[in-house]
Every structure is written in structure tokens, then in C-alpha cells.
Amino acid sequence: MTAEGALARVIRSAGSRAAAEAEVCELCAAPLAGTHPHLYDTADADVRCVCGPCSVLFADDGAGEGRYRLVPRRRLRLPPVDTAVLGVPVGLVFFVPRSDGTVTAQGPSPAGAMRWEVDAAAWQRLAGTCAPLAGMAPDVEALLVNTARGSEQHWIVPVDDCFRMVALVRREWRGLSGGGLVWPAVERFFAELTERR
């Protein structure tokens, strides 16, 4: 075996890995752009990457018999919301109202998202004081809250933004307290959120 042949194999192997890691639509396997739509899989409670043409099938609860819901793009910054009434003692958390009337709270951790059930009646009372909360799309929109380390940010966002935030915290967390990378990364995440309809 020549060194030239081994190098060629390494280059081909790296190229194959890069091609294999390129994102594709989870329905039709078409290549995806960096920014692409998502579907929320209600059976697996997970987000699926899809291409534009496949996403159209699920607009207005079209295909999928309710299993897949198109994740909206809307982001809306809210004035401070008193989420203490929901009983979740975490400063970085998101609340998702569900189609069945339940509400979950999830917070990022080094191991992924921690999850709690929230009192649905408490959520309804809070939504009664903040009209945008009452209009959230179940399962696919979340109230994202950051009151950690002196922040005061409240957003209605698509659930895929929340999953991105959880992945960011998991990736940047070091040691027991998070280290020096996680909180600046969280601040950048919130600084880069922009409103969109």
C-alpha cells in the first residue's frame, strides 16, 4: 500500500462522512438548506427536519392524520410574564401547552431537557392575563423564559428554537456549574432572537 493510496482513501472517507452528515428531509430524503421547516411528531414528541415541498403537505393540519404538525415560524417578544405562579423554580425554561390540555415545562441541563408537568389551571389563569399566551398553537409553540443571572426575557417561539437552546446548553456545559462558556452562549442565543410573524 502506498502513502498516496492511503491518503486518497482518507480523503474519500472524510468526503463520504461529510456527505452522510448533510441534512436531508426526513420524509423524502431531499437535501436541506441551512434554514428549513420542521414538523413536530406528536407520537415521538420530537422535531423532524423537512424540505419546503413536504412541509406544504402539513400546512393547516393537512396530511399525517394529526401525527405531524408544522412548526410555525412566529416569534413574539413579550413583556415580563409572572411565571412563578406555574411553580417551576428554574430561570431558563420553556412551557408548551399540549393539544390534550396539559402543559409541560422543560429546562436545559447538561444531560438534555428536564421535564415537569405544570398545573393546567394555573396556566389557564396566566394565559387569561396575557392574550398572546392564550393564542399559542398547542404542541408547536412555547413560552421561552430566561430570568437566569439577572435576565428578564419572555418570548413565544416555535418549539424548534427551544430544542436548539437545549442542544446549545448541553454542548457548552462544563463541570458542575456550567463553566465559562454556557452562559455567554445563552446570552448570544437570546440576543439573536428576532421577532417574526
Side-chain angles (χ1 to χ4, degrees):
M1 173 183 359
T2 67
E4 196 172 292
L7 180 58
R9 273 197 307 284
V10 168
I11 291 169
R12 278 195 307 272
S13 175
S16 297
R17 277 196 309 272
E21 292 171 7
E23 281 192 290
V24 297
C25 176
E26 294 186 49
L27 297 181
C28 73
L32 293 176
T35 302
H36 53 266
H38 292 102
L39 294 178
Y40 180 74
D41 183 337
T42 60
D44 294 337
D46 201 4
V47 173
R48 308 279 179 221
C49 297
V50 294
C51 64
C54 284
S55 74
V56 172
L57 298 172
F58 298 91
D60 301 321
D61 297 324
E65 298 177 358
R67 175 171 177 171
Y68 298 106
R69 302 208 41 223
L70 185 61
V71 175
R73 293 184 31 81
R74 175 175 79 136
R75 285 189 193 136
L76 178 63
R77 186 171 190 153
L78 301 175
V81 177
D82 183 14
T83 56
V85 299
L86 300 176
V88 178
V90 177
L92 185 57
V93 65
F94 60 96
F95 300 90
V96 182
R98 302 290 176 185
S99 299
D100 63 4
T102 63
V103 180
T104 59
Q106 296 181 58
S109 79
M114 302 176 295
R115 184 178 170 139
W116 304 269
E117 293 297 319
V118 173
D119 179 45
W123 174 264
Q124 290 302 324
R125 286 191 297 276
L126 182 62
T129 67
C130 181
L133 296 182
M136 287 173 56
D139 301 315
V140 293
E141 286 189 311
L143 169 62
L144 177 60
V145 177
N146 180 12
T147 57
R149 302 169 71 96
S151 287
E152 192 66 47
Q153 301 219 32
H154 298 79
W155 288 82
I156 292 176
V157 297
V159 292
D160 52 0
D161 279 347
C162 299
F163 293 134
R164 275 190 318 109
M165 190 252 320
V166 168
L168 173 112
V169 168
R170 188 171 186 188
R171 183 181 67 236
E172 301 296 342
W173 194 278
R174 302 291 184 273
L176 295 176
S177 64
L181 300 176
V182 70
W183 294 111
V186 168
E187 288 172 15
R188 277 192 308 277
F189 175 87
F190 277 90
E192 291 169 2
L193 286 180
T194 55
E195 286 196 294
R196 61 188 188 204
R197 303 287 170 177

